[in-house]
Amino acid sequence: MAEDSSKRMIEFWAEFPRADEDFLGSIRDWKNLQIAVDDDVIWLRGFTEEQAVSSEIQQLPNFLLYELRDGLLFRKDALVPSKKMRTALLWMSIHKALPLTFPVSNQNFFGIDGKVRAKLIFSEEEQPAIALLSSMHEIKDNIIALPKFKLEKIDWVVINDKALFLGTPLLGLPGKTFWMKDNHFLPAGLDFEFKNLSLLLQKKYNEGQNKWLLWDENGSYLAIDKNDFRKLSVSSFRLTEKSQEWI
């Protein structure tokens, strides 16, 4: 009896420019994948059918996906092959072949040199804002006028000449809003380019989970100790006013 080709499991291969290797961080945790290097090309194999059509794959630049049939590589839905299957390649697991490396980070608030290599992009998913960063100069009169019941639900910390408020509902003050993801405060409307980077950065820079990492749009961050936050009240704000030279 002839084999039913419709039930044959598809084996996917892919090729990717070696110069764009950093982009593979988005699929590094797919431990079923194997990877091999051939001059300026990276070869990958072992994709599941779900992975082959995933958004992570579609976002990779210059990524070519093939179906392996009888030793030939076909582009999706193609009737003729694009090339022969590569042989004599040294294969290994992708998460072992691409070890994570982190550059030296800058602990200065929103500094420029020595940033963590993280890119924030616009997100299609809307997330509720939970934190607000405001200039102390702009809000000092507003805070005193707010009713007590609105303040008592908020924690806050002073960062240079700014105040970071944490809690919901947010205060109706001018400033920049943030949403929370895995102990990161990310600017509203933005997310990490590679979704799995969120937990990896926490593991590297906040292993004890005792800090918030506050990010700006350019991909730099400030680590804030969670114990530095205190309850917001008119009295605590006024005491801070008196103790700061910039008021």
Side-chain angles (χ1 to χ4, degrees):
M1 181 180 294
E3 181 182 358
D4 185 354
S5 60
S6 65
K7 296 182 180 179
R8 187 183 306 156
M9 182 175 295
I10 301 175
E11 182 176 348
F12 294 100
W13 281 45
E15 64 174 315
F16 192 71
R18 193 172 182 180
D20 295 331
E21 178 181 329
D22 287 348
F23 288 99
L24 293 177
S26 62
I27 60 173
R28 181 188 174 276
D29 59 343
W30 294 358
K31 296 183 179 181
N32 53 294
L33 294 188
Q34 291 186 312
I35 187 171
V37 177
D38 182 21
D39 294 328
D40 295 329
V41 175
I42 293 176
W43 288 95
L44 302 103
R45 69 181 184 184
F47 297 91
T48 66
E49 292 191 37
E50 291 78 12
Q51 290 170 342
V53 296
S54 66
S55 59
E56 289 87 348
I57 289 296
Q58 295 173 9
Q59 292 172 2
L60 292 175
N62 304 312
F63 185 89
L64 298 177
L65 185 70
Y66 302 101
E67 295 180 8
L68 178 63
R69 308 175 199 162
D70 300 323
L72 300 174
L73 297 175
F74 292 75
R75 295 299 304 275
K76 182 176 176 59
D77 298 327
L79 298 178
V80 296
S82 298
K83 56 184 63 181
K84 291 183 179 180
M85 177 184 68
R86 298 293 295 172
T87 58
L89 294 175
L90 180 62
W91 295 95
M92 64 187 303
S93 175
I94 187 172
H95 72 285
K96 293 181 179 178
L98 299 178
L100 289 175
T101 58
F102 290 87
V104 177
S105 63
N106 181 8
Q107 299 299 333
N108 295 324
F109 182 52
F110 296 159
I112 297 176
D113 297 328
K115 293 177 184 175
V116 175
R117 187 168 53 188
K119 183 178 180 181
L120 299 180
I121 62 174
F122 287 103
S123 174
E124 297 179 356
E125 300 179 12
E126 185 175 352
Q127 303 289 348
I130 194 173
L132 172 71
L133 185 67
S134 300
S135 166
M136 292 288 286
H137 285 291
E138 295 181 6
I139 65 170
K140 58 182 181 180
D141 294 331
N142 305 69
I143 287 287
I144 297 174
L146 289 174
K148 180 181 178 181
F149 75 90
K150 288 188 176 182
L151 303 180
E152 62 188 9
K153 296 181 180 180
I154 303 296
D155 295 326
W156 78 305
V157 65
V158 175
I159 306 170
N160 299 328
D161 62 344
K162 294 180 173 62
L164 179 65
F165 302 102
L166 173 61
T168 55
L170 289 179
L171 301 176
L173 300 173
K176 182 189 300 183
T177 57
F178 298 79
W179 65 285
M180 185 172 64
K181 179 179 184 177
D182 304 325
N183 284 322
H184 298 285
F185 286 139
L186 300 176
L190 300 182
D191 197 354
F192 291 114
E193 180 181 21
F194 301 129
K195 294 184 178 181
N196 64 330
L197 187 61
S198 175
L199 291 175
L200 295 175
L201 289 171
Q202 285 292 326
K203 184 176 180 180
K204 178 68 176 180
Y205 296 109
N206 191 24
E207 188 172 4
Q209 302 294 299
N210 60 336
K211 300 180 184 298
W212 301 113
L213 302 186
L214 179 68
W215 292 83
D216 77 347
E217 294 84 350
N218 297 320
S220 57
Y221 79 97
L222 173 70
I224 308 171
D225 195 313
K226 292 180 180 180
N227 291 328
D228 289 344
F229 281 84
R230 58 188 184 276
K231 287 294 181 182
L232 178 61
S233 65
V234 172
S235 60
S236 69
F237 189 85
R238 282 176 170 166
L239 287 173
T240 302
E241 274 190 297
K242 294 178 181 179
S243 64
Q244 301 294 330
E245 297 178 355
W246 39 259
I247 295 296

